């Protein structure tokens, strides 16, 4: 037995090829039964994944949940922050929620959301960006270094990624970062 409020349990079906959870959990349908869930296209699934949530699945109908890693100035992951915000929120709201949950070196220090992909910084996400436009798995929050805040218009922000070379192959790895 799970010993949890049924509205605080989110179910995910299994991928029939590898028995791993599917990337997206099941949507709540009040009239569906467990049989409806486990029988799809004439095939029975014999494995069901669940997760206990800190909030009701009813809230997920109007809100969006993010798990965002927070990176300090030394590019070390300090904490993975869980944020639950209304779907009409912006990145500025995500940043405000992150700042409430992580220790900053200086409380007045700025935090930004950075999109990363394959160990490279893709972009700094503008605070005005709606959260409906972002996928939480590709983002991290980080403190903005003081020298960046004091940079002039002539200064450039350089994206840095760690690579290793092998014959005919270059691999990016590690935590990418930005320098001024």
């Amino acid at each position: 037995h799970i010993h949890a409020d049924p509205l605080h349990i989110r179910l995910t079906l299994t991928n029939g090829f590898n028995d791993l959870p599917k990337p997206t959990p099941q949507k709540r349908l009040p009239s569906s039964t467990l049989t409806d869930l486990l029988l799809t296209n004439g095939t029975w699934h014999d494995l069901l994944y669940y997760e206990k949530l800190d909030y009701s699945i009813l809230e997920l109908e109007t809100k969006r949940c993010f798990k965002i890693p927070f990176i300090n100035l030394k590019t070390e992951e300090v904490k993975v922050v869980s944020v639950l915000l209304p779907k009409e929120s912006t990145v500025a709201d995500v940043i405000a929620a992150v700042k409430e949950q992580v220790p900053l070196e200086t409380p007045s220090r700025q935090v930004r959301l950075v999109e990363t992909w394959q160990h490279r910084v893709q972009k700094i996400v503008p605070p005005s960006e709606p959260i409906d436009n972002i996928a939480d798995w590709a983002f991290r929050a980080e403190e903005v270094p003081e020298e960046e805040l004091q940079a002039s218009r002539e200064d450039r922000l350089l994206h840095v990624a760690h690579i290793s070379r092998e014959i005919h192959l270059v691999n990016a790895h590690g935590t990418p970062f930005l320098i001024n």
Side-chain angles (χ1 to χ4, degrees):
H1 297 285
I2 297 173
H3 301 295
D5 181 341
L7 291 176
H8 287 246
I9 297 172
R10 183 164 51 182
L11 301 174
T12 303
L13 289 176
T14 182
N15 180 332
F17 297 108
N18 58 16
D19 283 342
L20 294 174
K22 286 187 173 181
T24 52
Q26 284 299 117
K27 291 200 182 284
R28 183 184 86 81
L29 300 171
S31 61
S32 67
T33 65
L34 195 53
T35 300
D36 298 334
L37 190 64
L38 295 175
L39 180 62
T40 53
N41 299 328
T43 304
W44 280 97
H45 296 275
D46 58 357
L47 181 58
L48 184 65
Y49 290 94
Y50 75 93
E51 58 185 312
K52 290 182 182 181
L53 303 174
D54 295 332
Y55 42 84
S56 167
I57 56 175
L58 298 176
E59 287 186 81
L60 292 177
E61 294 173 3
T62 59
K63 296 183 179 181
R64 183 134 180 237
C65 180
F66 292 95
K67 290 191 179 184
I68 302 172
F70 178 77
I71 308 296
N72 66 13
L73 293 172
K74 299 173 188 167
T75 67
E76 300 166 331
E77 186 176 301
V78 175
K79 180 179 186 179
V80 176
V81 178
S82 293
V83 177
L84 184 66
L85 293 170
K87 289 184 178 180
E88 59 276 355
S89 300
T90 64
V91 167
D93 300 317
V94 174
I95 292 169
V98 167
K99 286 178 82 171
E100 290 175 4
Q101 296 185 43
V102 295
L104 299 175
E105 285 188 21
T106 308
S108 62
R109 175 105 347 119
Q110 289 188 22
V111 172
R112 65 180 166 213
L113 207 61
V114 177
E115 179 182 0
T116 61
W117 177 250
Q118 295 186 344
H119 306 284
R120 294 181 184 106
V121 171
Q122 298 299 314
K123 71 176 183 177
I124 297 171
V125 186
S128 59
E129 183 91 19
I131 63 172
D132 273 352
N133 295 354
I134 64 173
D136 61 337
W137 54 266
F139 292 88
R140 71 170 192 224
E142 63 183 23
E143 287 187 66
V144 180
E146 190 65 38
E147 56 270 13
E148 267 185 54
L149 296 173
Q150 297 175 359
S152 68
R153 288 184 176 256
E154 293 80 39
D155 290 335
R156 295 192 51 125
L157 198 56
L158 182 64
H159 298 229
V160 181
H162 191 184
I163 63 166
S164 60
R165 291 183 187 268
E166 297 179 21
I167 300 172
H168 305 295
L169 186 63
V170 177
N171 290 318
H173 57 90
T175 305
F177 57 95
L178 301 162
I179 60 172
N180 192 14

